[in-house]
């Protein structure tokens, strides 16, 4: 590095490439380190993650040299965004050509090391392309290292039903020798809703490259998501506010609020806010969507032709990733872009931004159209389910009374109340004012118009129904996620504006009193607003929408510009720093949610029960300690939520303790049983066996993971033989099939004839449920494993080719 006057240091292209060579080499060497040492485990995960999620994008940026004068955080953010595109391409290649993840991972590391070495040896261009490190970014980088450490220790939850579905797929992807679209699910022969699951594939790549347990990777990879999300927020802030100093303020505020918990684990499952969890839906909304928006904003503001080409192609690449990983997020992106173009036409007809915004919309629509065509061919059962839900939406719309049309439709916007949690309602209220204060920043039109459009979609039932009908019936579920990215962006900007205006007060005592009073007011509002707005939503929606109408009318007519600002957007001098630091510190302390903080190891939000996060408040640093630290859960109160065949809801209560798999059982399945085996396990166990073993597993997970609105018909189409048997046993005995003490030998034999189970795995407490049947049917079942905690029986009555049981190696 070479020191320069306007920054701490700069890094040359050759220096960057030299550093990039080391990362995949260390990842390859760590493949052979023992995973049961905490330091080696951390090295395995960190370097494998950087090799997969950073290095290929960094090499692309270095080779393309977009623009001049990137900062370190800009470089890191662009590198991660582009790397996600490379991961998605590898996903498609692997699942189409049936290349194992291990092969892809090793080739990936080798290729990136060679390419980095080639770039390092090439002669640097003239003038030299440099990446600079500024003082503000150095402070952010330091705080992000602390955040990454805390999130690595805390990890992501994995026992909530939806998390188990995704973690099970990561394990299976990492294990398969010939992965394909129809064999990566824990149910046999099923094509997943998203046939090219890039986030699952990324985690599987990390697992195989580091040769470390897939579930442990799913748990620990939050350190990467939690660093990427604030960096993308920083990139967005730099473009929206056109001020590096303000972008530093925005991210400093955001990271501090993550530490305090107010931007940490949200009041719902699988929502980490600015510290995203490893659930792919949370990654899509917390990392992929901000990455896409950041790339788009850089394209909108690009000055040079090479940068314009790079950022357009980069935006389209990330748009393809988002489309294939979670298509609802690409719809959200299109709403943002459409809102921006509409605002430009309404307020400020900037030809350049209009053309570029339209080009982004057109390119994204083409990508979505092509993917939808492919998706209909690959996953027809999802298309049929979505069409059925559209019909239900129409039926629901026809049945609504006038009063219901005028109220919020809870069925259309489930998980509505988190919209009023934390800082979100406060920032929605002040956002029209900030639009006026920052009216010279053209991209604030995107923020403001997107917010008002989503508020109208959420509140006006006619618009919401049309939006859901045209796109997806769940498009407005958990609506805070539609606006949350902008409330994170505006929180730091709001505190900046307050500090800038307090700094205009000449008497220091008065200024100090103003800061304390404002902090107390914000803290009081923060604590009371959720309850008030949740009980009367229109106290939020109506004033905010009216304020936006007034703001846009004023901006269009120019009356606001002529009137002159009453609030300044720029601090008058360095004296703004002390009121900002004091205000930020007071507010962070007064609005802290310790349980949601990354430092609350082993704790999640209070709405998540102990059963869904089954280990004590300790940080487990090796896979063995991690699995051994999971505790058995007493059967009292454990129940499986599910749907009957007619669509009505029911519960199946556990009759045995819920216990995790043992390390010995995991190794036995990995080393002994074929990957296409089908294992029957207890669906009421809160630890789905598919979390721990890579074979197909009948665990009842679809009942746990899919909401009731999917309906019983679609659910039972996932694997009809098992679910038909389940329905019959539930109806007759209120029990699960086979693993019960009520069915006759003939009924259990009929189950094994109808369902192609190859193995049955039971906890030792359930031995009696299978032992008597196995003793009486030695030609059908044979015990093949026991470790004192688990027993495994092999179904030997159905013989495959060569006289071998179908599930044996």
């Amino acid at each position: 590095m070479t020191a320069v006057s306007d920054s701490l240091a700069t890094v040359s292209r050759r220096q960057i490439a030299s550093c990039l060579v080391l990362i995949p080499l260390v990842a390859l060497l760590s493949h052979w380190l023992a995973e049961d040492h905490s330091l080696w485990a951390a090295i395995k995960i960190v370097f494998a993650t950087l090799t997969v999620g950073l290095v290929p994008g960094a090499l692309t940026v270095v080779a393309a040299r977009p623009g001049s004068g990137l900062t370190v955080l800009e470089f890191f953010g662009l590198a991660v965004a582009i790397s996600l595109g490379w991961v998605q391409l590898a996903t498609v290649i692997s699942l189409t050509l049936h290349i194992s993840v291990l092969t892809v991972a090793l080739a990936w590391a080798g290729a990136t090391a060679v390419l980095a070495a080639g770039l390092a040896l090439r002669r640097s261009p003239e003038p030299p392309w440099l990446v600079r490190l500024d003082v503000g970014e150095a402070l952010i980088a330091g705080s992000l290292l602390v955040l990454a450490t805390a999130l690595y220790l805390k990890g992501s939850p994995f026992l909530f039903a939806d998390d188990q579905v995704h973690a099970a797929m990561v394990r299976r992807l990492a294990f398969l020798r010939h992965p394909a679209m129809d064999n990566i699910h824990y149910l046999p022969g099923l094509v997943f809703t998203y046939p090219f699951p890039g986030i699952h594939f990324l985690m599987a790549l990390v697992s195989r490259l580091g040769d470390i347990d897939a579930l442990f990777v799913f748990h620990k990879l939050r350190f990467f998501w939690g660093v990427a999300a604030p960096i993308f927020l920083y990139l967005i802030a730099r473009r929206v506010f056109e001020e590096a100093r303000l972008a530093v303020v925005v991210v400093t505020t955001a990271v501090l609020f993550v530490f305090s918990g107010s931007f940490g684990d949200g009041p719902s499952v699988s929502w980490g806010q600015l510290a995203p969890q490893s659930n792919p839906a949370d990654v899509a909304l917390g990392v992929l969507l901000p990455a896409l928006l950041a790339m788009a904003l850089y394209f909108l503001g690009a000055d040079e032709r090479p940068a314009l080409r790079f950022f357009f192609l980069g935006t389209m690449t990330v748009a393809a990733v988002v489309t294939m990983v979670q298509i609802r997020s690409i719809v959200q992106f299109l709403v943002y872009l459409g809102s921006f173009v509409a605002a430009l036409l309404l307020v400020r007809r900037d030809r350049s931004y209009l053309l570029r915004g339209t080009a982004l919309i057109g390119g994204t629509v083409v990508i979505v159209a092509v993917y939808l065509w492919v998706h209909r061919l690959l996953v027809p059962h999802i298309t049929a389910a979505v069409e059925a839900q559209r019909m239900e939406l129409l039926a629901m719309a026809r049945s609504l009374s006038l009063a219901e049309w005028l109220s919020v439709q809870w069925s259309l916007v489930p998980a509505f109340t988190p919209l009023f949690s934390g800082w979100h309602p406060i920032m929605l209220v002040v956002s029209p004012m900030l639009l006026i204060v920052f009216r010279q920043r053209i991209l604030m039109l995107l923020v403001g118009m997107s917010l008002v459009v989503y508020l109208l979609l959420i509140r006006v039932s006619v618009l919401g129904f049309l939006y859901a009908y045209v796109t997806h019936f769940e498009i407005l579920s958990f609506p805070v996620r539609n606006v949350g990215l902008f409330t994170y962006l505006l929180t730091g900007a709001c505190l900046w504006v307050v500090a800038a205006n307090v700094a205009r007060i000449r008497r220091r005592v008065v200024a100090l009193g103003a800061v304390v009073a404002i902090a107390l007011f914000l803290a009081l509002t923060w604590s009371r607003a959720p309850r008030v707005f949740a009980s009367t939503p229109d106290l939020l929606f109506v004033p905010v929408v009216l304020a936006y109408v007034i703001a846009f009318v004023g901006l269009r007519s120019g009356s606001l510009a002529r009137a002159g600002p009453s609030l300044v957007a720029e601090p008058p001098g360095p004296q703004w720093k002390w009121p900002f630091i004091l205000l930020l510190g007071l507010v962070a302390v007064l609005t802290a949610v310790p349980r949601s903080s990354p430092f609350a190891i082993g704790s999640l939000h209070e709405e998540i029960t102990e059963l869904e996060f089954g280990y004590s408040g300790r940080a487990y640093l090796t896979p063995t300690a991690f699995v051994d630290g999971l505790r058995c859960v007493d059967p009292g109160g454990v129940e499986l939520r599910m749907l009957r065949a007619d669509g009505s809801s029911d519960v199946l209560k556990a009759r045995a303790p819920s216990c995790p798999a043992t390390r010995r059982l995991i190794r036995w399945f990995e080393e002994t049983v074929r990957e296409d085996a089908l294992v029957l396990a207890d669906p009421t166990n809160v630890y789905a066996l598919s979390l721990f073993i890579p074979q197909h597993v009948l665990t009842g997970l679809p009942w746990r993971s899919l909401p009731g609105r999917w309906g019983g018909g679609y659910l039972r189409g996932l694997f009809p033989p098992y679910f038909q048997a389940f329905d019959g046993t539930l109806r007759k005995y209120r029990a699960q099939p086979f693993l019960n003490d009520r069915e006759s030998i003939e009924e259990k034999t009929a189950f094994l004839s109808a369902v192609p189970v190859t193995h049955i795995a039971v906890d030792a407490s359930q031995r009696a449920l299978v032992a008597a049947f196995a003793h009486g049917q030695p030609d059908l079942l044979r015990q093949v494993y026991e470790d004192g905690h688990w027993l495994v029986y092999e179904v030997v009555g159905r013989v495959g080719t060569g006289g071998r049981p179908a599930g044996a190696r």
Side-chain angles (χ1 to χ4, degrees):
M1 289 189 177
T2 306
V4 293
S5 57
D6 59 344
S7 61
L8 287 178
T10 60
V11 190
S12 71
R13 170 185 171 182
R14 177 169 291 182
Q15 289 170 324
I16 294 172
S18 299
C19 292
L20 294 176
V21 173
L22 298 176
I23 295 174
L25 291 180
V26 173
L28 283 170
L29 291 174
S30 71
H31 183 86
W32 288 274
L33 293 174
E35 68 173 19
D36 286 329
H37 186 287
S38 58
L39 178 59
W40 302 153
I43 289 174
K44 282 171 170 284
I45 288 181
V46 171
F47 280 90
T49 301
L50 295 178
T51 300
V52 172
L54 175 69
V55 172
L59 292 173
T60 305
V61 175
V62 170
R65 305 192 304 276
S68 56
L70 289 179
T71 67
V72 167
L73 289 186
E74 285 181 303
F75 176 78
F76 186 95
L78 296 178
V80 172
I82 298 300
S83 294
L84 295 171
W86 286 112
V87 170
Q88 193 63 46
L89 177 61
T91 306
V92 175
I93 292 173
S94 173
L95 297 182
T96 304
L97 302 181
H98 315 306
I99 303 172
S100 72
V101 174
L102 176 60
T103 301
V104 174
L106 295 177
W108 184 295
T112 52
V114 170
L115 291 172
L119 283 175
L121 294 174
R122 283 182 60 185
R123 185 176 179 178
S124 297
E126 295 293 340
W129 187 78
L130 301 173
V131 174
R132 71 178 187 274
L133 177 64
D134 297 333
V135 176
E137 288 200 357
L139 295 174
I140 293 174
S143 65
L144 290 180
L145 285 176
V146 176
L147 178 60
T149 303
L151 290 175
Y152 182 87
L153 296 175
K154 183 182 179 71
S156 288
F158 58 93
L159 289 179
F160 181 68
D162 195 48
D163 294 319
Q164 293 193 43
V165 170
H166 297 297
M169 287 185 58
V170 172
R171 181 177 292 283
R172 184 156 174 80
L173 260 173
F175 182 77
L176 291 174
R177 289 173 294 178
H178 303 290
M181 286 176 285
D182 62 352
N183 73 356
I184 62 174
H185 202 269
Y186 56 87
L187 289 176
L190 177 72
V191 179
F192 183 49
T193 307
Y194 301 98
F196 302 108
I199 298 303
H200 301 77
F201 197 85
L202 185 151
M203 289 187 273
L205 279 173
V206 172
S207 172
R208 297 306 284 152
L209 181 56
D211 191 28
I212 192 162
D213 183 77
L215 180 59
F216 191 70
V217 169
F218 183 93
H219 178 57
K220 292 299 184 184
L221 210 64
R222 192 178 187 185
F223 87 91
F224 181 66
W225 315 129
V227 169
I231 289 179
F232 288 129
L233 182 67
Y234 174 73
L235 267 59
I236 292 169
R238 282 185 69 104
R239 291 299 306 124
V240 169
F241 297 115
E242 302 172 14
E243 169 64 57
R245 181 176 49 174
L246 179 49
V248 171
V249 166
V250 167
V251 177
T252 300
T253 302
V255 172
L256 183 59
F257 283 2
V258 172
F259 285 143
S260 71
S262 58
F263 279 176
D265 291 321
S268 182
V269 294
S270 302
W271 184 37
Q273 296 200 86
L274 268 179
Q277 299 168 9
S278 289
N279 185 295
D282 205 30
V283 174
L285 284 162
V287 177
L288 298 186
L289 180 60
L292 176 56
L293 185 59
M295 293 293 290
L297 296 184
Y298 271 76
F299 167 73
L300 290 172
D303 296 325
E304 303 169 358
R305 190 176 295 274
L308 200 65
R309 287 196 299 266
F310 174 86
F311 287 115
F312 180 77
L313 291 175
T315 304
M316 294 300 99
T317 299
V318 183
V321 176
V322 175
T323 302
M324 286 189 270
V325 169
Q326 192 190 56
I327 198 167
R328 281 178 287 170
S329 295
I330 203 68
V331 175
Q332 192 168 323
F333 174 67
L334 286 171
V335 171
Y336 293 161
L337 288 179
S339 300
F340 179 52
V341 169
L344 288 173
L345 293 173
L346 176 67
V347 175
R348 180 177 171 181
R349 299 194 177 191
D350 187 296
R351 186 172 180 272
S352 173
Y353 278 98
L354 273 172
L355 289 176
R356 294 182 184 185
T358 304
L360 288 177
I361 292 174
T364 305
V365 168
V366 170
I367 290 171
V368 171
V370 171
Y371 177 74
L372 287 177
W373 176 73
V374 173
H375 189 272
R376 288 191 183 95
L377 297 177
L378 298 177
V379 201
H381 59 277
I382 295 294
T383 303
V386 171
E387 289 299 327
Q389 289 299 326
R390 284 202 176 104
M391 296 302 101
E392 288 193 19
L393 277 176
L394 286 178
M396 184 191 307
R398 294 190 189 100
S399 66
L400 293 180
S401 64
L402 178 61
E404 289 173 325
W405 275 112
L406 296 176
S407 61
V408 177
Q409 285 302 305
W410 305 110
S411 58
L412 194 64
V413 284
F416 180 71
T417 53
L419 183 64
F420 307 119
S421 65
W423 288 95
H424 301 291
I426 299 175
M427 288 304 110
L428 288 173
V429 169
V430 303
S431 59
M433 179 199 72
L434 293 176
L435 174 63
I436 296 171
V437 171
F438 293 106
R439 59 186 175 274
Q440 300 302 323
R441 274 69 164 183
I442 191 170
L443 291 175
M444 274 297 290
L445 292 175
L446 183 149
V447 176
M449 185 61 86
S450 296
L451 288 176
V452 73
V453 165
Y454 266 111
L455 289 177
L456 290 172
L457 289 174
I458 294 166
R459 180 59 188 86
V460 181
S461 296
V462 173
L463 298 178
F465 268 104
L466 288 173
Y467 181 49
Y469 182 82
V470 171
T471 57
H472 189 274
F473 66 94
E474 289 183 312
I475 196 70
L476 287 175
S477 63
F478 214 73
V480 67
R481 296 194 178 196
N482 297 310
V483 301
L485 176 59
F486 298 131
T487 58
Y488 303 139
L489 177 74
L490 296 179
T491 303
C494 178
L495 298 181
W496 156 285
V497 170
V498 171
N501 286 275
V502 168
R504 300 165 67 186
I505 302 175
R506 296 189 176 184
R507 295 187 61 184
R508 185 63 61 91
V509 174
V510 176
L512 178 62
V515 170
V516 173
I518 292 169
L520 292 173
F521 173 76
L522 287 174
L524 182 64
T525 305
W526 180 89
S527 64
R528 300 293 178 85
R531 188 180 306 111
V532 173
F533 289 137
S535 61
T536 314
D538 283 338
L539 288 178
L540 174 70
F541 287 107
V542 174
V544 173
V545 171
L546 287 178
Y548 267 115
V549 171
I550 294 170
F552 279 115
V553 169
L555 290 174
R556 177 179 173 82
S557 65
S559 60
L560 291 175
R562 291 192 297 271
S566 56
L567 292 175
V568 298
E570 298 290 343
Q575 61 267 33
W576 70 275
K577 294 182 180 179
W578 76 262
F580 175 77
I581 293 172
L582 178 60
L583 177 62
L584 179 60
L586 286 174
V587 169
V589 171
L590 293 173
T591 62
V593 187
R595 186 176 177 84
S596 297
S597 169
F599 299 115
I601 306 299
S603 297
L604 293 177
H605 196 275
E606 65 242 11
E607 291 185 16
I608 299 179
T609 68
E610 182 182 88
L611 299 181
E612 291 164 343
F613 199 64
Y615 68 63
S616 59
R618 292 173 53 196
Y620 294 100
L621 302 180
T622 67
T624 298
F626 177 60
V627 173
D628 292 345
L630 297 172
R631 60 180 182 269
C632 291
V633 178
D634 214 50
V638 178
E639 55 187 30
L640 177 66
R641 297 182 294 275
M642 58 187 180
L643 295 172
R644 290 182 177 274
D646 60 2
S648 61
S649 60
D650 202 348
V651 295
L652 182 62
K653 294 191 175 182
R655 296 179 178 272
S658 291
C659 291
T662 61
R663 290 288 295 172
R664 184 180 168 191
L665 178 71
I666 296 170
R667 285 194 299 269
W668 183 83
F669 266 105
E670 290 177 344
E671 297 171 359
T672 308
V673 182
R674 282 174 45 178
E675 62 188 37
D676 60 347
L678 179 59
V679 183
L680 177 66
D682 181 6
T684 63
N685 190 333
V686 299
Y687 302 98
L689 191 59
S690 52
L691 276 176
F692 305 101
I693 67 172
Q695 285 74 23
H696 294 300
V697 183
L698 294 174
T699 63
L701 271 178
W703 275 291
R704 302 179 188 180
S705 62
L706 293 177
R709 293 198 300 160
W710 278 98
Y714 165 74
L715 192 61
R716 280 148 183 84
L718 294 176
F719 191 58
Y722 175 70
F723 295 122
Q724 289 170 5
F726 200 115
D727 288 335
T729 310
L730 178 66
R731 182 172 56 254
K732 190 172 183 180
Y733 299 112
R734 288 203 56 78
Q736 58 185 303
F738 195 87
L739 298 178
N740 63 72
D741 56 1
R742 302 180 185 183
E743 288 182 293
S744 66
I745 291 179
E746 291 74 18
E747 287 172 315
K748 292 185 177 184
T749 302
F751 171 81
L752 293 179
S753 299
V755 182
V757 172
T758 62
H759 295 79
I760 300 169
V762 293
D763 182 82
S765 63
Q766 298 173 298
R767 175 194 295 267
L769 297 179
V770 183
F773 179 84
H775 181 74
Q777 302 287 329
D779 57 338
L780 191 57
L781 285 188
R782 179 180 65 199
Q783 182 178 319
V784 292
Y785 174 86
E786 182 175 6
D787 63 10
H789 299 280
W790 284 84
L791 296 90
V792 179
Y793 293 87
E794 185 177 18
V795 180
V796 296
R798 287 185 301 273
V799 179
T801 59
R804 291 171 56 91
R809 280 192 182 274

